[in-house]
Amino acid sequence: MRLAASRTPYVDDRDARAVIERALDLGATLLDTADMYGNGRNEEIVGRALRHRRDEAVLCTKFGVVRAPDNTLSCRGDAAYVRAACDASLARLGTDVIDLYYLHDRDVSEPIEETVGAMADLVTAGKVRHLGLSNVSGQELRTAHATHPIAALQSEWSLFSRDIEATLPVCVELGVGVVPYCPQGAGVLVSDDKSAMSRFTGAHAERLALLDLLQEIAKHRGGRPGQVALAWVQQRADVWGIPVSPIPGTTSLRHLEENVAAVDLVLDAQELARLDDNSSFRTGGDD
């Protein structure tokens, strides 16, 4: 489960750790962070929370996005940076090994096979167990996988964004699992307040109908819209026959518990069809 909330400096460290510890208590084992979240602070919080519970978590972090002093972002994927970034993350996380290490966003000035080759060296060195990629095309995934097996693709997948479905045939072919970020539409689909969608006007006004539908299904099921959104992602993955681990971020213990409970929500065929018809996606292959 992604605990993205602790990347912001406005969240108290103790509150963030409480959310992580409660997630582990509830059986959530996948913890996702990145070196750019809070300029490394998020990794430090996760590391402290896992100090005595490291064996309970699959620890994932990402590298490759660099924040300059003026807050502008760039990407680096050269071998020297790959090694340095990994060592820095290990130190902040307080661990000897990262279970799943992602390239957060690719550096187009470096061939992806060069970046992945340097990441593979980390596996050989015992610093990383598995490799992942984020926000790459099907062809980039193929090229990377030919250099070293890729365990997971992390990309946005939700009722708001289904572009990843063009890349899923490549994931199925290569045996790559999917880790959807923003599975609740960056938090919008968590709300049962229609005003949360007020910014969607004009060409995006149809999304108001989607929220109405989520609220209707959630009310019928005795749950929350965000739980329905998570169940939809899980069951879309079942359609494709791929392993999936959605990573909804939260600062709230209540939302955390709702997210975990969504694992047990199974939508029926009619509900899935209605959600599919009202969701947004791009057709066509991406290989």
Side-chain angles (χ1 to χ4, degrees):
M1 180 166 296
R2 185 187 193 184
L3 296 162
S6 54
R7 62 175 103 153
T8 166
Y10 303 107
V11 177
D12 182 89
D13 284 15
R14 290 174 297 179
D15 292 342
R17 288 176 61 183
V19 172
I20 296 170
E21 290 165 1
R22 180 59 176 153
L24 294 172
D25 291 342
L26 292 170
T29 57
L30 184 71
L31 296 182
D32 181 272
T33 183
D35 60 4
M36 71 164 291
Y37 297 163
N39 292 322
R41 177 172 169 266
N42 187 273
E43 288 184 323
E44 293 172 351
I45 293 171
V46 171
R48 286 195 290 271
L50 291 180
R51 185 167 297 160
H52 303 296
R53 306 184 68 170
R54 177 65 182 89
D55 60 346
E56 297 180 46
V58 176
L59 181 56
C60 316
T61 193
K62 301 180 285 293
F63 81 98
V65 178
V66 182
R67 188 185 301 275
D70 63 357
N71 277 331
T72 58
L73 301 178
S74 61
C75 298
R76 282 191 64 179
D78 56 282
Y81 185 75
V82 172
R83 293 190 293 269
C86 181
D87 287 343
S89 287
L90 287 168
R92 286 188 293 265
L93 290 165
T95 188
D96 295 327
V97 62
I98 296 165
D99 295 313
L100 178 57
Y101 198 44
Y102 288 98
L103 174 62
H104 203 164
D105 212 342
R106 68 162 302 201
D107 176 359
V108 295
S109 70
E110 295 283 339
I112 195 167
E113 55 265 42
E114 297 296 326
T115 302
V116 173
M119 294 169 69
D121 289 341
L122 301 174
V123 177
T124 302
K127 297 180 178 182
V128 170
R129 290 195 171 101
H130 303 283
L131 304 184
L133 300 176
S134 183
N135 300 317
V136 297
S137 69
Q139 185 54 56
E140 290 169 333
L141 179 57
R142 287 183 188 279
T143 301
H145 193 80
T147 302
H148 187 279
I150 301 299
L153 171 66
Q154 184 173 137
S155 292
E156 184 173 3
W157 195 7
S158 73
L159 286 160
F160 277 2
S161 177
R162 295 176 60 179
D163 288 3
I164 188 179
E165 293 189 19
T167 307
L168 293 184
V170 180
C171 295
V172 173
E173 174 190 338
L174 300 178
V176 176
V178 175
V179 179
Y181 68 77
C182 295
Q184 297 167 322
V188 174
L189 299 178
V190 174
S191 175
D192 54 9
D193 180 1
K194 195 169 182 177
S195 65
M197 298 281 281
S198 60
R199 72 178 185 272
F200 295 117
T201 59
H204 299 288
E206 72 278 1
R207 294 189 176 186
L208 289 170
L210 174 59
L211 184 57
D212 284 338
L213 177 57
L214 281 168
Q215 291 173 345
E216 175 191 331
I217 294 173
K219 182 177 180 180
H220 175 70
R221 293 297 191 126
R224 304 275 291 183
Q227 293 176 309
V228 176
L230 284 174
W232 177 86
V233 171
Q234 180 67 60
Q235 289 179 245
R236 283 297 301 171
D238 292 342
V239 170
W240 283 95
I242 57 174
V244 64
S245 295
I247 46 174
T250 185
T251 60
S252 163
L253 287 171
R254 178 173 65 84
H255 286 160
L256 168 66
E257 290 167 358
E258 290 174 358
N259 291 341
V260 173
V263 172
D264 298 322
L265 175 59
V266 179
L267 303 171
D268 64 33
Q270 183 182 35
E271 290 167 334
L272 287 171
R274 293 178 68 196
L275 288 168
D276 284 348
D277 290 343
N278 282 274
S279 60
S280 174
F281 66 102
R282 176 170 59 86
T283 59
D286 185 15
D287 57 6

